[in-house]
Amino acid sequence: MKVQVAIIGAGPSGLLLGAMLHKAGIDAVIIEQRSADYVLGRIRAGVLEQGTVEMLDHVGVRERMFKQGLWHDGFEIGYRNSHHRIDLKTLTGGKRVMVYGQTEVTHDLMDARSAAGAKTVYEAEDVAVHDFDTGKPRVTWRKDGAEHELSCDFIAGCDGFHGVSRRSVPENAIQTYEKVYPFGWLGVLSDTPPVSHELIYSNHARGFALCSMRSMTRSRYYIQCPLDDKVENWSDDAFFDELRRRLDPAAAEAMVTGPSIEKSIAPLRSFVAEPMRFSSLFLAGDAAHIVPPTGAKGLNLAASDVHYLANGLIEHYQEGSAAGLDAYSERCLRRVWKAVRFSWWFTSLMHKFPDDTGFGQKIQEAEIGYLLGSTAASTALAENYVGLPLEV
Ligand code: RFL
Ligand code: PHB
């Protein structure tokens, strides 16, 4: 079998790239190791930048998103028994973000893909990428006991942090940068109305907490937890008691609790692999970089990588120009490092660091005071949160 582009992974990066290429008439197949239901069962991102919303609109998955997505003009920073609003819209000259879950984005893209008759292979075992340095790359996998091989012009490695694409690159051709944070996030999803109509990011002496949502009847809450903590250690009551302790009294009072429908722990890390292109193999999204979720940047960075990659491939096939593909890695990495910096900064500002001797906490207090008292500092936060512009 021969195809123009083989896409490894049917997460948001792979599906969005598939949709962009399909719209441009470029032939692509997605090869995913899990089942569609498994991919849909992962509860992850909740906040879309306007640029991500525009890309989803562009590929035609607008209907449910515009009906069910919630535009947010601001968010709250909880600090010292009170909360302070960051007015995204005013501070950025009209920009805002949309709360629409990654599950829904994935669902919409999967539905559009099957309606268009575009091919996705699910439950592919032992996926491997070959010969991407030769100009005749191949992908192989096994399914239902049979071996399969796909020849292609390009491979897009959209297979997440643990995927096979990045691991297939020779060690001496890739450089990685990593920071692992000494805590994780314990997340709970519940069918309860959110505590506030905007997100609350809370800095508290007991640790960070985040109140988010999926709709006006479904809440998503997170609390900072030790790295070695286990979901089994947390009953729903224990979770909500701890969450309330980390919020200001008014928010704690307003909290409506209910049984969790999902509970999970995610470790926090920053990670970047450079470059993001190896001859015919391109890495995109979490396969190339990870940010801690504090800045809500992971899915949005995946979308901006896909924007550059899809445009590069379209230029290649439609205009015979290699310029976009040649610029891909550098263009992505400039934006990636800015989001890595922002996510690291916001994580450092909002969490309790277990080894802190007191100095770090004093710096946080000074910085939060500065942030909330200075329009210049709040503007810097707001413009990063809504998303830095895409380079043309
Ligand atoms: P994904 O979603 O990991 O998808 C990769 C896909 O590749 C498949 N795969 C393979 N397929 C074939 N062969 C192999 N060998 C394979 N290995 C893996 C996997 O099964 C999977 O289907 O990567 P992608 O597409 O790059 O998307 C990235 C986003 O999922 C990620 O950045 C976000 O979820 C991060 N994130 C957030 N991002 C935001 O923009 N806003 C947020 O509010 C936000 N909140 C979050 C988050 C991530 C979180 N966790 C769990 C780390 C909140 C949390 C708690
Ligand atoms: C979420 O709703 O899951 C969410 C929102 C904002 C973040 C991280 C996660 O910064």
Side-chain angles (χ1 to χ4, degrees):
M1 196 164 44
K2 164 98 195 165
V3 75
Q4 288 172 307
V5 183
I7 301 173
I8 317 295
S13 308
L15 287 166
L16 186 55
L17 179 64
M20 298 272 289
L21 296 182
H22 183 79
K23 190 175 160 73
I26 297 169
D27 184 25
V29 169
I30 302 183
I31 300 129
E32 161 66 49
Q33 69 175 5
R34 304 285 189 173
S35 68
D37 284 345
Y38 183 95
V39 172
L40 283 173
R42 291 189 294 229
I43 311 293
R44 286 180 164 190
V47 176
L48 307 182
E49 293 172 4
Q50 224 162 285
T52 306
V53 171
E54 281 159 20
M55 276 182 77
L56 292 166
D57 183 14
H58 172 77
V59 298
V61 290
R62 62 181 71 83
E63 206 177 310
R64 244 165 41 97
M65 177 175 72
F66 284 130
K67 212 181 274 170
Q68 295 176 18
L70 304 168
W71 284 111
H72 281 215
D73 294 353
F75 67 83
E76 305 275 351
I77 301 259
Y79 182 59
R80 291 211 165 144
N81 285 332
S82 174
H83 46 86
H84 309 262
R85 186 160 189 266
I86 301 294
D87 187 336
L88 295 172
K89 201 169 175 190
T90 304
L91 290 165
T92 61
K95 294 201 181 128
R96 49 198 186 145
V97 294
M98 181 185 271
V99 170
Y100 189 62
Q102 179 166 332
T103 313
E104 309 310 320
V105 171
T106 308
H107 202 286
D108 293 347
L109 287 166
M110 276 181 179
D111 284 356
R113 190 165 176 83
S114 49
K119 185 163 181 189
T120 310
V121 180
Y122 284 102
E123 299 181 272
E125 294 167 58
D126 291 333
V127 177
V129 296
H130 311 269
D131 303 335
F132 51 83
D133 52 343
T134 65
K136 283 197 172 182
R138 290 179 300 125
V139 180
T140 56
W141 68 94
R142 199 156 26 80
K143 182 164 166 127
D144 302 327
E147 306 290 334
H148 298 266
E149 178 170 311
L150 183 64
S151 308
C152 53
D153 300 332
F154 300 104
I155 300 174
C158 299
D159 47 353
F161 183 65
H162 300 287
V164 67
S165 302
R166 192 187 65 252
R167 277 189 285 118
S168 304
V169 173
E171 249 176 63
N172 60 4
I174 192 165
Q175 174 135 26
T176 59
Y177 301 86
E178 183 167 38
K179 179 175 176 63
V180 176
Y181 298 85
F183 39 72
W185 278 18
L186 169 64
V188 157
L189 190 69
S190 65
D191 276 330
T192 51
V195 64
S196 161
H197 70 286
E198 290 185 338
L199 271 61
I200 305 174
Y201 290 83
S202 180
N203 172 302
H204 192 274
R206 297 181 66 89
F208 171 75
L210 169 60
C211 303
S212 181
M213 66 193 73
R214 289 294 175 271
S215 69
M216 292 320 286
T217 56
R218 182 169 281 188
S219 300
R220 180 65 165 162
Y221 295 117
Y222 298 96
I223 55 175
Q224 174 184 347
C225 65
L227 262 185
D228 57 359
D229 213 340
K230 299 270 176 296
V231 166
E232 303 75 61
N233 296 341
W234 291 90
S235 66
D236 292 351
D237 285 345
F239 177 87
F240 281 111
D241 285 347
E242 184 58 32
L243 176 61
R244 277 202 204 90
R245 285 189 199 110
R246 298 184 188 190
L247 301 177
D248 63 89
E253 177 72 20
M255 171 80 61
V256 179
T257 64
S260 63
I261 49 179
E262 195 264 1
K263 201 183 276 163
S264 53
I265 292 181
L268 266 64
R269 87 168 81 223
S270 303
F271 173 89
V272 182
E274 292 190 359
M276 287 172 58
R277 176 191 185 171
F278 308 88
S279 305
S280 317
L281 170 67
F282 294 81
L283 302 180
D286 279 15
H289 41 73
I290 294 286
V291 286
T294 325
K297 288 285 158 254
L299 172 58
N300 294 297
L301 273 186
S304 59
D305 291 352
V306 166
H307 165 88
Y308 296 130
L309 183 52
N311 287 339
L313 289 166
I314 292 168
E315 265 175 50
H316 168 85
Y317 284 113
Q318 293 182 355
E319 296 159 31
S321 161
L325 291 179
D326 288 347
Y328 172 73
S329 181
E330 263 183 56
R331 245 183 211 161
C332 287
L333 285 166
R334 275 200 291 277
R335 196 168 192 278
V336 164
W337 274 110
K338 286 178 188 149
V340 168
R341 184 212 67 83
F342 171 67
S343 305
W344 158 81
W345 170 80
F346 202 27
T347 301
S348 309
L349 185 68
M350 299 304 289
H351 290 76
K352 185 176 167 61
F353 282 74
D355 293 338
D356 181 37
T357 55
F359 180 81
Q361 195 189 328
K362 285 290 184 186
I363 293 291
Q364 279 189 352
E365 286 169 14
E367 184 145 15
I368 293 178
Y370 172 56
L371 179 66
L372 301 176
S374 154
T375 307
S378 316
T379 304
L381 166 58
E383 89 176 345
N384 279 280
Y385 194 84
V386 300
L388 297 175
L390 286 167
E391 277 176 45
V392 198

